[in-house]
Every structure is written in structure tokens, then in C-alpha cells.
Amino acid sequence: MAGAHYSLALLGVASSVLAAPSEVQPRQASPFVTNAITDFAEPWALAFLPDNRILVTEKRGQLRIVDPVSKAKGTISGVPAVRNSGQGGLGDVAIHPRFGENQLVYISYAEPGSGGSRAAVARAKLNLNANTASGGSLQNLEVIWRQTQFVSGDGHYSHRLLFFRDRSTNSTTLWISSGERQQFDPAQSMTSNLGKIIRLNDDGSIPSADSALGANPFASQGAVASQVWALGVRNPLGIDFDEQGRMWEIEMGPMGGDEINLIEKGANYGWPVVSEGQHYDGRQIPKHNTRPQFNPPKAFWVPVISPSSVIIYKGDLFKNWKGNALISALGAQGLVRVEISGNTAREAQRIGMGRRMRCVRQSADGALWMLEDGQGGRLLKLTPA
């Protein structure tokens, strides 16, 4: 989770046998009790403040704050204009690991402009009013990252945010999952930051060679390539670190072929050259095993689950889930649990919730929190049954 301390182990790993979702039983009893807190207009992401209140983004361009105890909610003003169309709108929200010192909040969104829109990331100081219902405001907002090009379509922004804090140096890096905007080829181009996993300093600058994880792998190429940690991803809608400091990424495939990947420094995951799915018009795409230069997924889904976010569970409430990937799923309408063992992953459980699920996060006490997708989507707290 954002603000946690991870070991410096984002290293190369061996690939594993792909796990098929057909190996699991899709109908299983729910392992949790669900408590509905409140509802929102097309919620997309959530983040926890140090006082246990929660920030929630609404796709239309509203940033909300909610007190999960009183269930009061308010609006945070100062959000920049967003393009609310298709998959575009206000996206992720993340709290700086040193929020208690700097009050910084980060948001991602679809930025409108000439020729269409592009994903952007901004940071601002969060000023909260005395009570939750009165909301607050974003102050001194600055855009610290943008996709390199405007695109006329409204798909595959991705723009999930994640922090890595190295306590030994008190430095913080920001990771961004940048979708390929349904443009295909930019995912393989080092003159574009579409279809990439991005690593920046918390102010948007490029990490130096003496930073916690060293320089970015393509830093010597300069320009936009210096932002890139890994490439060849399609629509990466979730990223999180495990306890060993390894990054796991979940992404939507084309027609079939949703993936969970273990992200390595400088690695290429092959999109659009390879995939475990196929194009929507039926054209075949070569599989990963035909192109050994590309890293294959650790597990994939055919048919798809339509993943929307992921966490690596680190809590104690769901003891048997520690170290598992928990995936919110739109198509599968629930929570998908993936067991991780070393460098391998396999789906272990699929828990139906009867709604398209947009986001899953873990609070400090180990409880799970989820957002339902769409108009009237609810904020849910999940605790063990």
C-alpha cells in the first residue's frame, strides 16, 4: 500500500508455468461480511487519510471525502477539468507517504486538449475544512506528468498510482501505469510513454543513479525514455508491491488474455506483438511462447475477468490471504484471489459480488475496501465472516 516500506528487490526473475482459471471452483461461499458505507456517482478509486477518513474519486471529475464511521461525506474543490467520456475522467488518488508533513495528494485524470485527451498526473496540497461534510480544497496544484500525445479515443488511460518509500534515504518514488490508449504500437516505442510502467521522483523528475533503486533502465536514452521502468503493457489497471519489494501488475487483455505480470526493471511484456488473447475482429496474435524475448504473464485469463485494480494483501485479518493478489473484477463481478508462490501465480478463488467492482484497497487494520462500478456505486468494507 502507499507509504509502506519495501525492500529493494525489484530484480529479474524466472518465468513460470501459466495458470489457467479453469483450475478453480467459481462458486464458493463468501469469506467476508460486507458493510455498505455510502454511494457515489461512478466512483473510480479510493485512498486512506491518516485520520482514517477516505478520499474517493468520481469519474465525472469530483473528489469526495467520507468519514466511514459517521458516513458523512463532502466535496474537495480544485480538481482540474477532466474529459469524462468512455474510460476517461478523474482516475486514481494517492496520498504521499509523508502526508503528515506535506499534506500532498496525487490524482490522475484524462486531460482534455487539442486532438483529444491524454492521461495526466497532478499533485496538490489538501486543505480540509473542520468537518467532513464541508469538504475541503486542493491548493497549489501542479501537473507533474503527462502522456506524450493526445488521442481522439477514450480508452486505456490506466493511470494507476503507487508510491515506493525508501526509509534509509527518506526518498520517495512515484510509479504510474500508463495505458497504450488503444494505439497498439506506442507500447513498443521508446519515443512514447504509452503502454509503459513509469517511475519518477515524487516531484515528477527522473530518479538519479544514486537513488534507492538506481537509475531507470533507459535513462541513458534521455527524453521520454528516461521515465520508463518497463514496457509492452496494454491497459495496466493495477500495480502493487509485495513484501519482497517486487511489483505485480494486472492488465486487461484484448478478446481474452487478461494478465498478471511480475514487473522487472527494463523488461518488455510484448504488447501488441504477443498476447494470450486475440483481436476483437478475430485476427490471431502470436502467443508469448513464440517470442522468448518478451516476458510472459504469470497467469492469464481466457475468457477474461476484466480486472480493474489489484493489491497484494499484507494484513492479518484474512490470515490465509497474506501475500495473495486480490483483484477487483468488472466482468467477473467480484473479487478474484490469486495465490503467489515464489515467482508463480495461480487463481485460487473467485468470489461473486453481483456487481462490477471498480477498486479494492486494504486499510491499516487489514480490512478490505471496495468500490462498485457505475452510477450509485457503493463503498464497501469487507471483514472476515
Side-chain angles (χ1 to χ4, degrees):
M1 303 299 292
H5 178 214
Y6 301 99
S7 62
L8 307 184
L10 287 157
L11 305 175
V13 292
S15 62
S16 67
V17 176
L18 301 180
S22 58
E23 297 171 0
V24 301
Q25 300 262 338
R27 296 179 183 274
Q28 300 178 19
S30 175
F32 42 70
V33 174
T34 302
N35 179 26
I37 304 301
T38 188
D39 61 349
F40 296 93
E42 294 189 273
W44 208 88
L46 67 98
F48 302 98
L49 291 167
D51 63 5
N52 296 319
R53 287 186 293 176
I54 301 171
L55 295 178
V56 175
T57 61
E58 293 178 332
K59 183 174 169 292
R60 62 182 177 171
Q62 294 282 343
L63 180 60
R64 309 298 300 277
I65 183 170
V66 58
D67 183 332
V69 177
S70 69
K71 301 186 179 182
K73 58 185 176 182
T75 300
I76 307 297
S77 64
V79 175
V82 307
R83 177 172 173 81
N84 179 25
S85 179
Q87 296 173 21
L90 182 58
D92 213 355
V93 57
I95 308 301
H96 194 283
R98 298 195 304 276
F99 178 86
E101 304 169 22
N102 58 31
Q103 291 80 55
L104 286 176
V105 170
Y106 291 65
I107 56 173
S108 65
Y109 58 100
E111 179 184 53
S114 176
S117 60
R118 60 184 174 185
V121 174
R123 69 175 185 174
K125 184 175 181 179
L126 177 62
N127 180 44
L128 294 174
N129 294 327
N131 61 76
T132 300
S134 298
S137 62
L138 297 180
Q139 298 181 342
N140 303 319
L141 184 136
E142 59 174 335
V143 178
I144 62 169
W145 179 84
R146 291 179 166 101
Q147 288 184 328
T148 48
Q149 62 210 77
F150 288 103
V151 174
S152 60
D154 294 304
H156 298 189
Y157 297 90
S158 306
H159 54 34
R160 287 288 183 188
L161 307 176
L162 181 67
F163 283 107
F164 181 100
R165 183 178 183 184
D166 177 45
R167 295 184 186 277
S168 64
T169 62
N170 202 32
S171 63
T172 302
T173 46
L174 173 67
W175 303 72
I176 306 166
S177 65
S178 176
E180 45 80 272
R181 299 301 315 284
Q182 298 175 307
Q183 300 301 297
F184 302 95
D185 293 341
Q188 293 295 322
S189 170
M190 296 309 292
T191 63
S192 170
N193 57 14
L194 275 62
K196 310 295 194 302
I197 302 298
I198 303 297
R199 173 180 174 249
L200 305 171
N201 291 321
D202 58 5
D203 62 357
S205 61
I206 306 301
S208 63
D210 60 358
S211 63
L213 297 175
N216 284 344
F218 307 102
S220 63
Q221 297 182 30
V224 70
S226 64
Q227 304 175 2
V228 176
W229 185 263
L231 65 150
V233 294
R234 183 177 181 269
N235 190 13
L237 283 164
I239 48 176
D240 198 12
F241 293 111
D242 64 19
E243 293 282 16
Q244 292 75 49
R246 304 179 303 173
M247 176 181 283
W248 293 85
E249 173 258 2
I250 190 81
E251 67 178 79
M252 284 191 182
M255 190 165 68
D258 292 344
E259 300 177 3
I260 185 167
N261 291 298
L262 183 51
I263 298 298
E264 303 173 23
K265 183 176 184 177
N268 189 331
Y269 293 83
W271 179 258
V273 182
V274 293
S275 174
E276 301 307 312
Q278 62 185 34
H279 292 294
Y280 288 106
D281 61 8
R283 286 179 296 128
Q284 297 299 305
I285 306 172
K287 306 301 183 188
H288 285 83
N289 61 14
T290 68
R291 303 289 195 278
Q293 68 268 37
F294 299 125
N295 279 27
K298 298 305 180 183
F300 65 90
W301 287 266
V302 180
V304 299
I305 59 171
S306 301
S308 55
S309 70
V310 68
I311 62 167
I312 306 301
Y313 186 71
K314 305 175 183 73
D316 294 317
L317 275 186
F318 298 90
K319 294 181 185 289
N320 295 332
W321 292 5
K322 199 159 190 174
N324 288 188
L326 303 180
I327 302 163
S328 58
L330 298 165
Q333 295 195 355
L335 186 69
V336 177
R337 181 168 66 88
V338 173
E339 290 180 345
I340 295 172
S341 177
N343 298 329
T344 67
R346 63 173 296 274
E347 181 181 336
Q349 190 174 14
R350 193 175 299 194
I351 305 161
M353 301 180 71
R355 288 282 300 266
R356 290 163 55 88
M357 304 307 296
R358 174 54 67 180
C359 185
V360 60
R361 292 290 180 258
Q362 176 200 319
S363 54
D365 63 1
L368 295 174
W369 295 76
M370 297 190 74
L371 288 170
E372 296 173 334
D373 189 46
Q375 189 67 32
R378 296 176 299 170
L379 173 64
L380 307 176
K381 181 180 181 181
L382 313 179
T383 52

